[in-house]
Amino acid sequence: MNVEKLMKMAGAVRTGGKGSVRRKKKAVHKTTTTDDKRLQSTLKRIGVNAIPSIEEVNIFKDDIVIQFSNPKVQAYIAANTWVISGSPQTKKLTDILPGLINRLGTDNLDSLSKLVAEQFQKEASGGGGGAAAATLAQEDDDDVPELVAGETFEAAAEEGQKS
């Protein structure tokens, strides 16, 4: 009886058909560190240089900011190639804005103010402008014609369609 169980177990280990060799070693899968090593070797071949002591990197995209804290930054300036490695955090521009104003120079401050102005214009023209919608509703209320004695709305509508 033990021999039958042993044969069943041995049969389950075979990788091929009857008469093939039993697998004795567990297959080892590649880890993701090999991808990182390949990337680093390719970057070395290109000739990127590490830029030390960068505390923070912010990438602005519409109203979203991708923020890296203490990233590893590498650059090949001749080809305008930048590599930023680290853990990113996605934040809204309005959340980061107070901290950014203190660190920006005059040139960057002008660019940032244009970006913020464009964002607020998009919000106002979209569904986000509650005050603008209320103003338009008040103007529409002012356009309602006064009811004249002896006339009905149906008669006024018919006259408007004829003209």
Side-chain angles (χ1 to χ4, degrees):
M1 199 156 159
N2 287 338
V3 175
E4 287 180 339
K5 285 185 180 179
L6 210 64
M7 292 303 283
K8 284 183 183 178
M9 288 172 50
V13 179
R14 285 196 183 125
T15 56
K18 186 175 181 180
S20 66
V21 180
R22 184 170 57 121
R23 182 176 63 171
K24 296 179 181 176
K25 226 196 262 187
K26 184 178 179 181
V28 179
H29 298 289
K30 291 183 179 179
T31 59
T32 57
T33 57
T34 57
D35 293 337
D36 191 40
K37 288 179 183 176
R38 286 178 51 202
L39 176 65
Q40 291 300 327
S41 66
T42 305
L43 291 173
K44 277 185 184 177
R45 202 174 335 133
I46 292 172
V48 296
N49 297 322
I51 301 175
S53 68
I54 293 183
E55 295 176 6
E56 184 178 77
V57 173
N58 294 318
I59 300 173
F60 297 92
K61 184 177 180 183
D62 296 329
D63 61 338
I64 297 173
V65 178
I66 302 172
Q67 186 178 41
F68 293 87
S69 296
N70 296 322
K72 179 181 177 184
V73 179
Q74 299 170 316
Y76 182 56
I77 298 175
N80 197 19
T81 304
W82 296 81
V83 179
I84 302 169
S85 306
S87 56
Q89 295 177 349
T90 305
K91 298 182 179 181
K92 289 198 173 255
L93 180 63
T94 54
D95 297 339
I96 295 179
L97 194 60
L100 283 178
I101 293 175
N102 298 335
R103 291 184 251 158
L104 294 177
T106 56
D107 297 338
N108 294 331
L109 193 58
D110 293 338
S111 304
L112 184 64
S113 63
K114 288 178 185 177
L115 182 68
V116 170
E118 289 174 5
Q119 178 187 357
F120 285 129
Q121 285 177 355
K122 286 180 186 176
E123 288 179 4
S125 65
T135 306
L136 289 174
Q138 286 179 348
E139 289 177 4
D140 289 342
D141 290 343
D142 293 340
D143 294 338
V144 175
E146 301 265 340
L147 186 61
V148 179
E151 274 190 44
T152 62
F153 285 112
E154 290 81 20
E158 288 175 8
E159 288 177 16
Q161 289 178 354
K162 289 179 185 176
S163 57

